[in-house]
Amino acid sequence: MPWTIAVGGKGGVGKTTISGLIIRYLLDVGKTPILAVDADANSNLNEILGVAIDKTIGSLREEVLNEIKNLPLGVFKENYLEYKIQEALVEEKGYDLLVMGRTEGPKCYCYANTILRKYMDVIASNYNYIVMDNAAGLEHLSRGTTRDVDVLFIVSDPTIRGVRTAGRIKTLIQELKLSIEKVYLLINRVKNGLDEGLLNEIKNQEIELAGTIPEDSQVLDEDVRCSPIFALPKENKVVVAVGEILKKTMEKFRC
Ligand SMILES: Nc1ncnc2c1ncn2[C@@H]1O[C@H](COP(=O)(O)OP(=O)(O)OP(=O)(O)O)[C@@H](O)[C@H]1O
Ligand SMILES: [Mg+2]
């Protein structure tokens, strides 16, 4: 069973940047093979990783619906679906990337979604680690795209409102009884430490803080240039902070 890390939180808080840095950390310490999943319909994890994508799971659904009825004799449905999902995998050194793409459409894709999900689970078992970058908002959580997660990092900006939103996500997870072993809060873009008001709000929301990540102009500058996360030097304070948080978390989980 792969060890699965998911990253969530409201819009623009740094989910994709942090997902990319988590992947970079796992690669650096040789925790491979990794499956990177971009579960955001408005995907850009590939840009952060510096890889081009051709197909997404979303774009395959239409093909699957059309082709599965007319498979040539002797081609098993299982083999066909595995082949299809392999087609959407981008293979890189140490990790593969799978992009979910759009989940909605004019037709009912329930059948295609169900079978694709089943074969994604089969494929996921080939990896030791899964890192999932999720869309902002809460609605996809109820659609069951964040399943069997070991650690979910809810990212927030260093504001009371941000922490409250993180608290709401945690409550929703409990209400939906999603299979998530541990939920942590990550405060990103911290400038001068956390003030007392914020620390009190974190206590009120009852989410364990995994750590803080500093604001850093180099991260933003590289993003403006659309450079991949690997372009940041290893001494960069955001790279270091994410690495330390991951190390501590993985030691706790002994993985
Ligand atoms: N610690 C940081 N210091 C400076 N800039 C940061 C930091 N973390 C993220 N950013 C910048 O914030 C912006 C938003 O980051 P990112 O795209 O990772 O957020 P997101 O939560 O994935 O957004 P979305 O909800 O749109 O998917 C980017 O320009 C990114 O470079
Ligand atoms: Mg994002």
Side-chain angles (χ1 to χ4, degrees):
M1 276 286 280
W3 198 66
T4 303
I5 306 168
V7 182
K10 70 175 177 144
V13 286
K15 297 178 295 296
T16 306
T17 307
I18 292 169
S19 301
L21 287 170
I22 291 174
I23 293 162
R24 175 172 164 168
Y25 172 78
L26 293 175
L27 289 169
D28 282 350
V29 294
K31 302 273 191 192
T32 58
I34 307 160
L35 176 64
V37 180
D38 189 341
D40 187 348
N42 197 359
S43 9
N44 65 341
L45 182 64
N46 67 302
E47 286 172 6
I48 286 277
L49 295 170
V51 302
I53 45 168
D54 180 21
K55 290 198 167 172
T56 69
I57 292 290
S59 71
L60 287 181
R61 288 173 321 177
E62 195 74 46
E63 288 175 37
V64 167
L65 282 181
N66 292 334
E67 292 170 4
I68 204 153
K69 291 174 278 187
N70 308 313
L71 286 182
L73 218 61
V75 176
F76 293 108
K77 201 172 81 179
E78 286 76 14
N79 297 353
Y80 164 78
L81 286 167
E82 256 184 81
Y83 165 77
K84 277 302 211 198
I85 293 175
Q86 294 287 355
E87 234 187 300
L89 275 179
V90 184
E91 291 177 22
E92 292 291 313
K93 199 164 184 286
Y95 75 95
D96 292 345
L97 172 67
L98 192 63
V99 179
M100 300 306 293
R102 282 190 327 128
T103 49
E104 299 303 316
K107 287 191 200 161
C108 172
Y109 290 107
C110 299
Y111 174 65
N113 284 341
T114 308
I115 53 179
L116 283 169
R117 193 174 291 149
K118 183 166 161 234
Y119 282 92
M120 267 160 51
D121 287 347
V122 173
I123 286 196
S125 65
N126 297 330
Y127 299 86
N128 288 334
Y129 297 88
I130 299 180
V131 180
M132 222 189 311
D133 176 24
N134 289 284
L138 309 173
E139 60 289 344
H140 73 288
L141 290 177
S142 58
R143 285 195 217 107
T145 48
T146 314
R147 279 189 161 169
D148 293 331
V149 168
D150 291 283
V151 168
L152 168 70
F153 289 115
I154 304 178
V155 185
S156 170
D157 47 25
T159 67
I160 289 184
R161 255 194 286 277
V163 171
R164 282 187 188 146
T165 306
R168 276 197 293 274
I169 296 177
K170 189 186 170 220
T171 308
L172 187 79
I173 288 164
Q174 287 161 343
E175 283 172 8
L176 294 171
K177 299 193 170 53
L178 297 183
S179 156
I180 300 177
E181 173 101 13
K182 178 78 192 172
V183 177
Y184 284 114
L185 178 66
L186 273 186
I187 308 277
N188 188 23
R189 310 191 76 157
V190 173
K191 287 190 184 119
N192 303 309
L194 303 182
D195 68 29
E196 215 175 301
L198 202 64
L199 287 169
N200 280 335
E201 191 58 43
I202 296 171
K203 263 200 208 123
N204 287 343
Q205 297 299 333
E206 297 176 347
I207 317 189
E208 191 175 334
L209 182 65
T212 62
I213 300 166
E215 166 78 24
D216 179 61
S217 58
Q218 202 180 9
V219 168
L220 199 56
D221 291 346
E222 294 294 353
D223 190 42
V224 169
R225 279 195 282 270
C226 207
S227 343
I229 212 77
F230 302 101
L232 290 167
K234 65 175 190 306
E235 312 73 45
N236 174 279
K237 54 187 182 179
V238 174
V239 175
V240 172
V242 173
E244 279 170 0
I245 290 165
L246 249 286
K247 185 168 185 274
K248 206 171 70 184
T249 309
M250 294 178 79
E251 277 168 5
K252 259 190 212 161
F253 281 78
R254 294 204 185 85
C255 57

